[in-house]
Amino acid sequence: MAYHPDWDALRARVDAIATQVGKVVLVINACSESDRAQAARLVGRCEVIAEAANTGLAAAQNRGIAWARSNGFAAVLLLDQDSLPASGMVQALLDGRVACAAGGVRVGAVGPGFLDPRDGAAAPFVRIGFPFNRKLFCTPGAQAIDCDFLISSGSLVTMDVLDAVGAMDEGLFVDNVDLEWSFRARSRGYRLFGICAARMRHALGEARRPLPLGLRSVVVHSPLRLYYMMRNRVRLYALPHTPWRWIAQDMMRLPVKFFLFAVIVGPRWKNVRYMLRGLLDGIRGRVGVAPLSLCR
């Protein structure tokens, strides 16, 4: 899935995954004439689906899944433009899925461990708790980690699971799409696994910024992304398959996030305006693309 990508980096990512899968499908949102010219250089290496408007991450994922289904593929691997799969990642995911399914376990999705290339930090898999989550890292000898959600990028899902759980929620547009689908899958009896042998590089957010007093860094997002994050978390609060532990924990996390982007991380006043509008639209039940006044 791509949106105004760095085309040199994207071509490298296509090359990295093309030998590991049966077909690469590139869905480009808000595809400009320049993007079309760049995409034409990938003809023969992947199938390109160009969307004139920005239809959102969930819709782009659903378009790619629909193409794979109509062309007879039994599973899909979801990847963002910011993800670089390691060699052998897909085979490791497939092998891990088979191992996890032994004994009748209903596997919803499997995903790789990933490193943020900006600082080399390994991201943990997570089990939701209250008041704090359990962060689980791969240790020597570990094969798979049973977790409560997977980021969409790098997730491998079979078509029969997608048929049972359903497509990505296009109303969320961009943020928390993977979280909502993970919660829905688990509510229907499926389990999610991080596969330790599968690795990729993936950048979260637009940038990282160190916090004062030597505290850990914070992932920085644009005001528009903050709008979606605030709006969509409110939407998740209302869904019947969202775990109460996540809701309770996130309600405590919300004011902390608001403070960070209202006081410490700029542009402060614009962040405040977008976050407040997101919370209000979440309460109103607004879905889909943000209001045009915020997208300019």
Side-chain angles (χ1 to χ4, degrees):
M1 319 304 164
Y3 176 71
H4 298 321
D6 175 332
W7 279 96
D8 288 337
L10 184 60
R11 279 189 288 272
R13 283 155 172 72
V14 170
D15 290 341
I17 197 61
T19 58
Q20 300 188 47
V21 296
K23 187 70 175 181
V24 176
V25 181
L26 176 61
V27 183
I28 309 172
N29 265 332
C31 188
S32 65
E33 287 303 316
S34 174
D35 288 332
R36 290 178 186 277
Q38 293 283 359
R41 298 170 61 184
L42 292 173
V43 171
R45 293 154 71 185
C46 64
E47 180 77 18
V48 176
I49 300 175
E51 300 282 5
N54 183 7
T55 62
L57 175 64
Q61 290 173 340
N62 287 338
R63 285 292 305 274
I65 290 167
W67 187 96
R69 178 182 283 109
S70 65
N71 283 272
F73 288 92
V76 293
L77 175 78
L78 303 176
L79 280 176
D80 295 346
Q81 66 192 43
D82 297 322
S83 298
L84 179 62
S87 176
M89 185 191 81
V90 176
Q91 189 60 53
L93 290 174
L94 291 169
D95 293 344
R97 188 184 188 282
V98 171
C100 291
V105 174
R106 301 176 73 201
V107 178
V110 291
F114 68 90
L115 300 175
D116 191 318
R118 293 167 299 198
D119 58 12
F125 297 106
V126 174
R127 288 187 193 145
I128 297 168
F130 183 83
F132 303 110
N133 289 334
R134 286 186 62 195
K135 296 181 178 181
L136 305 172
F137 293 89
C138 289
T139 56
Q143 295 181 336
I145 294 178
D146 195 342
C147 53
D148 286 333
F149 64 89
L150 294 167
I151 67 167
S152 59
S153 191
S155 292
L156 188 147
V157 192
T158 59
M159 287 299 178
D160 61 315
V161 171
L162 286 165
D163 290 339
V165 176
M168 306 301 154
D169 184 347
E170 298 185 14
L172 294 173
F173 198 74
V174 58
D175 280 290
N176 288 344
V177 173
D178 43 14
L179 200 60
E180 186 279 330
W181 191 90
S182 293
F183 291 162
R184 191 168 6 123
R186 284 185 56 82
S187 74
R188 299 184 184 182
Y190 290 95
R191 290 163 65 182
L192 309 172
F193 294 92
I195 305 302
C196 292
R199 310 299 293 172
M200 75 175 185
R201 293 182 174 271
H202 177 76
L204 288 172
E206 286 87 13
R208 284 184 177 271
R209 176 176 170 175
L211 294 175
L213 304 176
L215 299 176
R216 65 182 179 85
S217 63
V218 62
V219 177
V220 178
H221 302 281
S222 68
L224 185 59
R225 288 294 298 273
L226 292 174
Y227 164 85
Y228 285 116
M229 288 175 178
M230 291 296 174
R231 187 195 73 179
N232 290 351
R233 71 197 325 138
V234 175
R235 176 172 169 80
L236 261 64
Y237 295 164
L239 296 177
H241 51 267
T242 303
W244 70 264
R245 287 183 180 84
W246 182 86
I247 296 173
Q249 184 192 96
D250 194 70
M251 284 183 171
M252 296 193 321
R253 187 165 50 237
L254 191 157
V256 176
K257 292 284 189 182
F258 197 99
F259 174 82
L260 281 174
F261 289 98
V263 177
I264 297 177
V265 180
R268 296 175 181 84
W269 287 112
K270 190 172 184 180
N271 286 345
V272 168
R273 182 165 70 90
Y274 278 60
M275 288 189 292
L276 288 176
R277 180 60 186 270
L279 291 171
L280 180 60
D281 281 356
I283 294 169
R284 289 169 171 168
R286 182 179 182 122
V287 296
V289 68
L292 182 60
S293 60
L294 300 183
C295 297
R296 291 170 182 161

